[in-house]
Amino acid sequence: AGFNVAHATHSIQWKRIEGIGKNGDGISSFPVTAAVALDSTSPCLQYHVITSSKDSLQISWYFSPTLNFLNAPEGLRFAVSVDDEAPQVMALNKDDNGPAWNNWVASNTIIKTSLHYIAKPGKHIIKYWLVDPGIVLQHIVGRFRPAAAPTYLAPPVTY
């Protein structure tokens, strides 16, 4: 939940939820019933990062488990982007039945991965965009190399 800038609207705010994640706090949009059409004015969280590398960046997004309470075919959705790229809309819980749901609840986490290209080292802005409500973001992990084997806890937070 350690974002740098929170963009909200008059009707949608971002709120920290203490202790909800495996490694600490999480963050979600409120009210939890408000969805938005994704555009350049949509609510988003900005994370400022400095990289010493360039190339393909893999970002793992850690979320609290939630059911597809909208009963949408694609599940609940969120979007992500780096710098000025168009947001990638991603499905959080499309497969929320059977073994997938059991694993998510057992680990208290749904992990989704996005891929981006960083053209040069330096300062970059990672954005997490609201699309559907009721999603709790716990943690973000970015890597330039292939992901390490999954572990129960995410890597520690760096500031």
Side-chain angles (χ1 to χ4, degrees):
F3 58 88
N4 295 94
V5 178
H7 293 280
T9 67
H10 68 279
S11 60
I12 298 174
Q13 302 297 314
W14 294 100
K15 293 186 182 177
R16 186 180 314 271
I17 304 171
E18 291 185 23
I20 197 167
K22 288 195 297 190
N23 289 10
D25 301 340
I27 191 157
S28 190
S29 61
F30 284 83
V32 295
T33 55
V36 298
L38 182 61
D39 64 28
S40 63
T41 64
S42 295
C44 71
L45 299 173
Q46 288 186 0
Y47 297 83
H48 299 178
V49 298
I50 297 174
T51 66
S52 58
S53 297
K54 64 175 187 163
D55 210 348
S56 295
L57 175 65
Q58 176 180 319
I59 303 176
S60 296
W61 303 84
Y62 290 66
F63 298 93
S64 293
T66 186
L67 292 170
N68 178 8
F69 60 85
L70 297 177
N71 204 24
E74 65 276 4
L76 299 180
R77 298 163 303 149
F78 63 98
V80 299
S81 63
V82 175
D83 296 332
D84 295 324
E85 73 181 357
Q88 299 176 34
V89 177
M90 301 181 67
L92 176 68
N93 54 2
K94 180 178 179 181
D95 303 316
D96 67 352
N97 53 30
W101 175 253
N102 295 341
N103 291 334
W104 296 341
V105 171
S107 68
N108 188 34
T109 308
I110 299 174
I111 302 172
K112 296 295 176 176
T113 301
S114 60
L115 299 174
H116 311 269
Y117 183 77
I118 302 297
K120 62 181 181 176
K123 183 178 179 183
H124 300 281
I125 298 175
I126 298 172
K127 293 182 183 176
Y128 167 76
W129 299 85
L130 171 65
V131 177
D132 290 326
I135 297 175
V136 178
L137 177 62
Q138 293 183 11
H139 202 76
I140 300 170
V141 177
R143 294 183 175 94
F144 280 103
R145 60 192 180 287
T151 60
Y152 181 73
L153 295 176
V157 175
T158 56
Y159 297 95

